[in-house]
Amino acid sequence: MAYQTLQQEYLQIPIVTRAYTTACVLTTAAVQLEIITPFQLYFNPDLILRNYQVWRLITNFLFFGPVGFNFLFNMIFLYRYCRMLEEGSFRGRTADFVFMFLFGGLLMTIFGTFVNLVFLGQAFTIMLVYVWSRRNPNVRMNFFGLLNFQAPFLPWVLMGFSLLLGNSIIVDLLGIAVGHVYFFLEDVFPNQPGGGRWLRTPSIIKMLFDTPEEDANYNPLPEERPGGFAWGEGQHENDNLQI
């Protein structure tokens, strides 16, 4: 009975969030069990181009380090904000969400070549957080009961927290930069005088991922609290989202 309930909850997670978080967890489990090593996963342009190890273009986004605080912290934020985006502003637009993944991953891969980053999963998480925060500017946040601020400041608060933990902020800055490029091209520039849409989801992606009709009886979970995850409650304006 418990297994069936767990399976049902798992299958209710939106497809893109479910696929990405599952891949991250399985990759980390494989490393922990020494089935594979991080040396087989990291981003290395020379090995990709000369030895045709093209899987590194994907696997470097799936590994967040060994199981520990940093891994759990990243997994929670990845699941939370990826799902809120998919059930919120990308509701019914799975192809557009997949295209955002591809666009963000491509930009990070290009930038990562110049800043010598070997794993880009954390930067990708920050990108998701950035896009969500800019699309929900009126949500008030509460960071571990210490800070109260509006949602658009969340990526910068996370960067400061990462700095306090002794991590490099280059990864966070990369995620913020890529997230801003996407947000500007998708949400800002098309609404400017003389602007237009530069980002258009290819028809083949729409054909593969978009469903023709949604179930009218489907009751989506609240955007601010995906999956019934009780790590804070989301409200607007005068209320807080605790993290």
Side-chain angles (χ1 to χ4, degrees):
M1 190 65 167
Y3 170 76
Q4 291 180 341
T5 302
L6 184 62
Q7 183 184 40
Q8 185 179 14
E9 288 293 327
Y10 176 74
L11 293 176
Q12 284 183 350
I13 300 173
I15 180 67
V16 177
T17 302
R18 184 169 73 236
Y20 186 38
T21 53
T22 299
C24 292
V25 171
L26 290 179
T27 300
T28 301
V31 172
Q32 288 293 116
L33 295 173
E34 298 183 351
I35 298 173
I36 56 177
T37 72
F39 295 104
Q40 297 171 286
L41 306 174
Y42 76 97
F43 177 66
N44 186 315
D46 288 335
L47 292 177
I48 293 171
L49 296 175
R50 296 179 182 177
N51 294 0
Y52 308 108
Q53 297 181 8
V54 294
W55 66 82
R56 294 179 183 272
L57 292 170
I58 298 174
T59 56
N60 79 90
F61 288 97
L62 304 180
F63 185 63
F64 289 81
V67 175
F69 176 78
N70 193 57
F71 170 76
L72 293 176
F73 188 80
N74 277 287
M75 282 296 97
I76 289 172
F77 272 82
L78 171 62
Y79 167 78
R80 183 174 177 79
Y81 291 96
C82 187
R83 181 163 185 175
M84 284 198 290
L85 277 174
E86 192 169 1
E87 290 186 333
S89 56
F90 286 99
R91 173 82 180 145
R93 299 168 52 218
T94 302
D96 293 338
F97 196 43
V98 171
F99 182 65
M100 186 189 79
F101 268 57
L102 296 176
F103 176 80
L106 176 62
L107 278 188
M108 287 184 191
T109 299
I110 294 172
F111 293 154
T113 303
F114 296 103
V115 295
N116 198 30
L117 293 175
V118 294
F119 290 106
L120 298 170
Q122 184 177 335
F124 196 84
T125 299
I126 294 295
M127 180 196 76
L128 296 174
V129 171
Y130 184 90
V131 174
W132 176 87
S133 69
R134 293 302 300 267
R135 288 183 171 178
N136 295 271
N138 295 321
V139 175
R140 287 182 56 79
M141 317 293 293
N142 183 286
F143 191 73
F144 294 126
L146 300 175
L147 293 173
N148 291 291
F149 51 89
Q150 297 294 114
F153 291 101
L154 178 59
W156 304 99
V157 171
L158 293 179
M159 186 180 72
F161 185 67
S162 180
L163 186 62
L164 288 176
L165 293 177
N167 300 324
S168 171
I169 62 172
I170 298 298
V171 175
D172 299 80
L173 287 173
L174 176 59
I176 290 172
V178 173
H180 183 73
V181 170
Y182 177 83
F183 176 76
F184 178 80
L185 293 178
E186 181 70 12
D187 293 45
V188 179
F189 185 68
N191 299 315
Q192 298 298 313
R197 292 185 64 85
W198 285 12
L199 298 181
R200 295 186 182 274
T201 304
S203 57
I204 188 172
I205 297 180
K206 285 184 174 292
M207 183 179 66
L208 290 173
F209 292 99
D210 274 353
T211 53
E213 266 318 310
E214 285 193 9
D215 184 359
N217 297 319
Y218 178 76
N219 184 24
L221 297 169
E223 176 170 304
E224 294 84 3
R225 193 172 174 179
F229 184 57
W231 200 35
E233 299 180 354
Q235 295 96 8
H236 291 266
E237 289 295 346
N238 297 324
D239 299 319
N240 296 320
L241 175 61
Q242 297 182 359
I243 56 177

